[in-house]
Amino acid sequence: MFTQLCRRAITLISTTTLLFVGCDASAASLTPQIESSSTIIPTPPFTRSQPASPTTEMEPTPAELPTGSGIEWDLVVVGDSSMRQLANAYAIQIEKDVGVKVIPHDITPGGLTASKVLRSLQFGDTLTELPDTLREAEVVVMFVNPLESIDHENPLDMAGCFFAFKAPGSCSMDTFEKYIADLQAIWAEIFILRNGQPTILRATDVYNPHVTKWQESGVFETCSECWVNMSAANRIAAQAYDIPFLSRLKAFNGPDFTENPSEKGYIADDGEHPSELMGQHTAELLSKMGYNPVMPP
């Protein structure tokens, strides 16, 4: 997972073999300071050419999604390996809640970064199937990691939390500005691909499977701050478009971020990735958020 990355490239240049999972946040004292950072919520301009409009017969009523017998929805879960186990579980949950048939698309390769997703959407790079898949998606859930969203004048450096569980370099809120901009640009691209059609968009962050190891290594406070700020970055990017946000960090690590999800069966035997139980519980939490679509600004 992150350990593979740190051995090969401590400079946070991720590879396609990296399996990203999350960390946690520590306590209420670690509240990210986002109020003063008004510059980190740029409005991504819709400068790219719009795709051709769908036919009248296929165009749903504004702010509504078709439901009922015989209707199919495409669900796309986009993320690194921390998002595995979710696509099938959420598809089953939606079918139960809404009564439509759901086709799940699990796009969760190891180490998937925001930068790589953005390149795929803008230039057809790497994930060549992603634009067409998102174009047909009635439901999209996303968490992609920040490892390539680096401002070299103010670099994000979280590697220490994963490499021998040492203290990180810099992961203050301002080091996430490039990450926030990339996330907002991804959401903007999804709106363009959907061409004005209502879409159920949901953003999330990442849980922490390393609570005990951080505590034993004496880096819990500093590494937790990285996860609090990474969570805040995802929330900020989603709020720019009124996209509902689910914090898996709080859901699986508790309100003070000190709970170990492994002890509750939420982590697989490898000690890092989601178990089937985590996928099911995440689907249930998303279900409680409802199914109101998000319209483009």
Side-chain angles (χ1 to χ4, degrees):
M1 207 146 103
F2 250 124
T3 308
Q4 296 175 352
L5 170 70
C6 298
R7 291 198 186 106
R8 294 174 141 182
I10 195 71
T11 57
L12 292 181
I13 301 175
S14 67
T15 67
T16 56
T17 58
L18 167 66
L19 298 179
F20 177 95
V21 194
C23 268
D24 152 82
S26 157
S29 61
L30 296 176
T31 302
Q33 299 181 6
I34 61 177
E35 291 77 10
S36 61
S37 302
S38 58
T39 59
I40 60 178
I41 314 181
T43 302
F46 283 61
T47 56
R48 299 179 63 227
S49 59
Q50 297 282 351
S53 297
T55 63
T56 303
E57 290 76 17
M58 295 178 62
E59 194 169 20
T61 304
E64 294 182 2
L65 281 167
T67 59
S69 177
I71 296 296
E72 290 188 356
W73 286 4
D74 284 274
L75 160 67
V76 181
V77 173
V78 182
D80 59 24
S81 57
S82 75
M83 294 286 279
R84 292 174 184 171
Q85 302 289 351
L86 178 57
N88 287 336
Y90 194 28
I92 293 170
Q93 186 68 49
I94 295 171
E95 290 181 343
K96 183 191 305 182
D97 293 343
V98 182
V100 297
K101 180 175 176 58
V102 180
I103 310 300
H105 303 269
D106 187 348
I107 303 178
T108 57
L112 187 60
T113 65
S115 177
K116 187 171 294 182
V117 169
L118 185 57
R119 292 196 308 267
S120 298
L121 296 181
Q122 292 180 336
F123 309 112
D125 181 27
T126 308
L127 300 173
T128 56
E129 80 286 357
L130 185 58
D132 286 341
T133 304
L134 288 171
R135 188 175 286 113
E136 302 300 323
E138 282 79 15
V139 188
V140 180
V141 187
M142 184 175 74
F143 168 78
V144 284
N145 74 58
L147 294 189
E148 292 180 328
S149 298
I150 303 299
D151 178 355
H152 295 289
E153 294 183 358
N154 188 20
L156 172 68
D157 181 4
M158 302 168 66
C161 295
F162 308 97
F163 183 59
F165 304 107
K166 296 181 179 179
S170 175
C171 58
S172 60
M173 201 62 216
D174 59 348
T175 65
F176 285 94
E177 289 188 17
K178 179 64 167 63
Y179 181 46
I180 292 170
D182 285 350
L183 290 171
Q184 289 182 341
I186 292 170
W187 291 122
E189 291 291 334
I190 293 173
F191 282 121
I192 291 172
L193 289 168
R194 290 293 292 157
N195 194 33
Q197 298 177 95
T199 312
I200 299 167
L201 302 175
R202 300 292 181 261
T204 187
D205 56 9
V206 66
Y207 57 88
N208 172 26
H210 300 309
V211 172
T212 302
K213 291 180 180 178
W214 284 358
Q215 291 170 338
E216 293 173 349
S217 301
V219 297
F220 183 84
E221 291 289 331
T222 53
C223 285
S224 291
E225 184 176 4
C226 294
W227 254 247
V228 170
N229 289 341
M230 181 165 55
S231 175
N234 278 273
R235 186 187 296 271
I236 290 168
Q239 285 176 339
Y241 293 116
D242 294 325
I243 296 170
F245 175 84
L246 169 66
S247 177
R248 294 187 294 164
L249 184 59
K250 287 186 177 180
F252 295 108
N253 294 103
D256 61 356
F257 314 114
T258 59
E259 298 176 15
N260 189 340
S262 296
E263 296 175 355
K264 301 178 182 180
Y266 290 130
I267 302 298
D269 291 340
D270 63 7
E272 295 181 336
H273 291 96
S275 66
E276 184 176 344
L277 182 62
M278 178 181 279
Q280 292 173 350
H281 188 52
T282 304
E284 292 168 0
L285 294 172
L286 289 167
S287 169
K288 292 178 180 179
M289 297 172 72
Y291 295 97
N292 290 333
V294 178
M295 296 302 295

